[in-house]
Amino acid sequence: MRQYIRLPDLFQEIEEAKIQGHYKKYMKKLSKVDLLILDEFLLTTISECERNDLFEVIQSRTDKKSTIYCSQWAPEGWLGKLGDGPLADAILDRIRNSSYTILLKGRSLREDYSKIK
């Protein structure tokens, strides 16, 4: 089973799960997805609450399931988006020590795809 989700949408779904009292159930579901694809990863700076939620998602999946982080930022810029501190370091430590980095270069293909429609 795989799941694609934009990071802002993930944070919204987590917040909704908290409000509805299903936080633990939702987080358990995320931990079981074989491949989680997080798009728009750290496109913007995230809040402390979002940082905590992101840590819990990553922690539950580290060395157990696969996660793809799609970002416009090179990994070297992620700390600035996460903010300083031990939690940001812990998030990046879990990503760095169990991942491969693939950097894509060149122009965006969105322009070509938009001409097809």
Side-chain angles (χ1 to χ4, degrees):
M1 176 173 64
R2 67 178 182 248
Q3 180 177 348
Y4 164 91
I5 190 165
R6 295 172 54 247
L7 190 62
D9 294 338
L10 175 67
F11 291 143
Q12 183 176 352
E13 287 187 13
I14 290 172
E15 186 61 30
E16 289 171 9
K18 287 177 183 178
I19 292 168
Q20 296 171 359
H22 303 293
Y23 176 76
K24 286 186 179 185
K25 182 179 178 181
Y26 183 73
M27 296 301 274
K28 187 173 184 176
K29 176 186 160 199
L30 284 176
S31 73
K32 292 183 177 184
V33 173
D34 293 321
L35 174 61
L36 179 63
I37 303 167
L38 295 177
D39 197 6
E40 297 182 10
F41 186 72
L42 301 177
L43 192 58
T44 60
T45 303
I46 63 175
S47 70
E48 183 177 347
C49 182
E50 292 169 335
R51 191 170 36 250
N52 288 324
D53 292 333
L54 181 60
F55 174 78
E56 292 301 325
V57 170
I58 292 171
Q59 173 61 29
S60 71
R61 301 181 56 75
T62 299
D63 298 327
K64 298 175 192 123
K65 299 292 182 177
S66 298
T67 307
I68 296 175
Y69 304 92
C70 304
S71 180
Q72 298 288 18
W73 295 96
E76 297 78 26
W78 292 359
L79 183 60
K81 296 296 181 177
L82 285 169
D84 292 324
L87 191 56
D89 290 337
I91 290 169
L92 292 178
D93 182 59
R94 281 156 180 77
I95 293 172
R96 284 185 191 129
N97 290 307
S98 61
S99 67
Y100 299 95
T101 301
I102 301 171
L103 297 176
L104 302 178
K105 296 183 180 183
R107 65 183 187 82
S108 171
L109 297 178
R110 288 188 192 270
E111 184 178 331
D112 294 341
Y113 290 134
S114 67
K115 291 178 184 175
I116 296 172
K117 295 178 183 179

